[in-house]
Amino acid sequence: MQLSVIILNYNVRYFLEQCVRSVQKALENIDAEIIVVDNNSSDYSCLMMKQLFPQITLIENKENLGFPKGNNIAVEQAKGEYICILNPDTVVAEDTFKKLLAKSCQPSAGIIGCKLIDGTGNFLPESKRGLPTPWVAFTKIFGLYKISNFFGKYYAQHLSENQSGKVDVLVGAFMMMKRDLYIKVGGFDENCFMYSDDIDLSYMIQKLGKDNFYFHETSVIHYKGESTVRDEKYLERFRDAMQFFYKKHFKKSFFFDNFIQIGSFLFAIFKQKQAQKLNNEIDKYIVFSKENIQLNLNKPIEYLTDFEQFKVNKNSNIEIVFDTNSFSFAEIIRFMEKHKSKNITFKNYISQSNYLIGSNNSTDRGEVLIF
């Protein structure tokens, strides 16, 4: 078997369904399997998987074991030569795995990542990152990377979002690599519950002499934060994760330990405060569908059958709805990237289960509208 796609789920039943549907389309001509691991969700995620995708391997953990252990359990059962660690709040394009598998065959290949965009079509800078050494962490925590590319190592600003190349760190939302390589470094370190595990894995693979690679020629939607409530437990886990990596890989010193503790606390507070909902009052819906669907959205609706029919109107707030039965995920992603705007939001219509899904902001949880 060529590829095992591993999706670790925790309480995101509708995002998981959409993710699995996109992955199935992307694997149509690949010898592959999907493994879904559930970390004791309470939202009937497992029931949904059994009813809608009975052919897919489902691992039901009896407690929330965290990101590293949940993925490690799945990798043990995976049959593919390659594995792809994939978040459930993602949507892959139909060409994603095909393109990345071609790139992964190079002998020096470590982890391969791709271009990630949020639910509004905007590029996510964490798609490519540098190793967060103490100095790089300082430039990130205090925002120096925004001033000049000289301070831009945290987000690997030696590459633009539309340039492929070697990077130090790739994000755990999407990581493709050889299964043997993953096992050789011991997989994700289970001493970290979540958040810095992808940094650690990227660094461990680099230490083997392999090249981690950011590949911009396919885009994946990552809605972000769907499994995370930014409460006090979030703050604690985020601080612990940042300190875990530095304690494991850098020399211990009184000054550095104090800097990391203060910096991780401030950064965790910033991440928590960053969460905000953007509730723009929608003036009009535009529904793209080639089928005779009717949606009750309590606002004016314009139905279009072709993307070329769309005309930009910057004087009103528009929500665009894509019928995923009428258009490929690759087409939808390209449209989102092309037409991203402050007054345009996007949702996908999953006709099989009759709901709209999407996100208006990369710093907060998304939205699901069930009909």
Side-chain angles (χ1 to χ4, degrees):
M1 183 176 288
Q2 192 173 14
L3 176 64
S4 298
V5 179
I6 295 167
I7 306 169
L8 178 66
N9 177 69
Y10 182 66
N11 283 331
V12 288
R13 174 248 184 271
Y14 293 99
F15 284 92
L16 173 62
E17 179 187 344
Q18 177 181 225
C19 176
V20 171
R21 292 191 185 282
S22 74
V23 172
Q24 285 183 319
K25 287 186 176 182
L27 294 178
E28 283 183 357
N29 297 311
I30 299 172
D31 181 17
E33 65 177 349
I34 301 171
I35 301 174
V36 172
V37 186
D38 186 80
N39 263 348
N40 198 29
S41 295
S42 58
D43 66 348
Y44 303 104
S45 290
C46 291
L47 179 61
M48 178 276 295
M49 287 299 303
K50 292 171 184 176
Q51 290 178 340
L52 300 183
F53 310 105
Q55 76 282 12
I56 288 178
T57 301
L58 173 64
I59 300 171
E60 298 181 68
N61 293 330
K62 300 306 179 185
E63 59 181 303
N64 186 355
L65 300 176
F67 185 86
K69 190 166 186 176
N71 279 296
N72 288 346
I73 289 171
V75 173
E76 288 178 5
Q77 297 191 23
K79 302 182 184 72
E81 179 184 1
Y82 292 88
I83 59 169
C84 180
I85 305 296
L86 186 67
N87 268 29
D89 56 348
T90 57
V91 176
V92 301
E94 284 78 1
D95 64 356
T96 295
F97 298 125
K98 182 179 179 181
K99 285 185 174 180
L100 268 72
L101 282 169
K103 189 67 186 176
S104 297
C105 66
Q106 297 182 11
S108 63
I111 304 172
I112 311 294
C114 64
K115 184 178 181 181
L116 300 177
I117 63 171
D118 66 15
T120 61
N122 288 294
F123 174 69
L124 290 170
E126 62 267 28
S127 300
K128 53 182 181 62
R129 289 177 290 175
L131 186 69
T133 61
W135 167 246
V136 172
F138 179 87
T139 65
K140 166 60 178 175
I141 290 169
F142 293 99
L144 298 180
Y145 70 95
K146 298 177 182 178
I147 299 173
S148 166
N149 280 355
F150 177 76
F151 302 112
K153 289 190 176 181
Y154 186 87
Y155 286 128
Q157 288 168 223
H158 66 287
L159 297 174
S160 74
E161 65 180 87
N162 293 318
Q163 283 181 293
S164 297
K166 296 177 186 179
V167 295
D168 293 327
V169 176
L170 293 159
V171 66
F174 188 107
M175 288 179 146
M176 181 179 287
M177 70 204 85
K178 279 199 169 184
R179 180 177 180 272
D180 288 348
L181 181 60
Y182 184 93
I183 292 171
K184 188 173 183 179
V185 297
F188 286 118
D189 191 326
E190 295 178 13
N191 292 309
C192 177
F193 190 84
M194 61 194 307
Y195 296 127
S196 67
D197 33 55
D198 49 2
I199 302 172
D200 179 62
L201 184 66
S202 297
Y203 186 48
M204 295 295 290
I205 284 178
Q206 269 197 327
K207 288 173 72 174
L208 291 179
K210 298 293 185 179
D211 296 324
N212 297 326
F213 198 87
Y214 166 73
F215 185 75
H216 82 277
E217 293 180 32
T218 184
S219 296
V220 167
I221 302 171
H222 180 208
Y223 293 107
K224 293 187 63 176
E226 296 310 317
S227 301
T228 305
V229 178
R230 297 192 181 192
D231 55 12
E232 291 302 317
K233 184 174 284 188
Y234 164 83
L235 284 175
E236 180 182 349
R237 285 177 175 168
F238 196 91
R239 289 199 307 268
D240 290 347
M242 291 184 71
Q243 293 173 36
F244 155 80
F245 179 75
Y246 292 105
K247 287 179 181 178
K248 180 175 178 179
H249 294 291
F250 293 96
K251 291 183 179 179
K252 191 174 180 63
S253 73
F254 176 79
F255 171 78
F256 181 64
D257 284 351
N258 279 277
F259 164 72
I260 289 301
Q261 287 188 29
I262 295 169
S264 61
F265 176 77
L266 292 175
F267 192 54
I269 290 288
F270 167 76
K271 295 291 283 185
Q272 186 186 43
K273 298 294 184 185
Q274 192 182 39
Q276 54 179 323
K277 272 202 177 294
L278 296 181
N279 291 319
N280 291 339
E281 183 68 26
I282 296 171
D283 300 311
K284 177 183 177 181
Y285 287 92
I286 295 178
V287 177
F288 284 104
S289 178
K290 296 176 182 178
E291 300 180 6
N292 186 26
I293 63 170
Q294 297 295 319
L295 302 178
N296 182 17
L297 296 170
N298 299 318
K299 290 283 184 178
I301 302 176
E302 181 180 1
Y303 289 91
L304 300 177
T305 59
D306 191 279
F307 289 156
E308 298 300 321
Q309 296 172 323
F310 176 69
K311 295 181 181 178
V312 178
N313 182 354
K314 295 185 177 180
N315 297 320
S316 59
N317 293 324
I318 297 170
E319 180 140 294
I320 293 176
V321 176
F322 303 105
D323 176 7
T324 58
N325 266 357
S326 297
F327 302 93
S328 71
F329 287 110
E331 290 173 320
I332 291 169
I333 290 169
R334 283 196 295 270
F335 185 96
M336 290 171 63
E337 290 184 287
K338 180 179 179 180
H339 294 288
K340 57 181 179 288
S341 170
K342 290 182 178 180
N343 71 315
I344 298 178
T345 54
F346 303 99
K347 297 291 184 296
N348 286 342
Y349 175 57
I350 310 299
S351 62
Q352 296 91 332
S353 299
N354 202 24
Y355 64 87
L356 295 184
I357 190 167
S359 173
N360 299 344
N361 186 359
S362 64
T363 62
D364 202 4
R365 296 160 73 85
E367 296 177 318
V368 178
L369 177 60
I370 304 168
F371 295 104

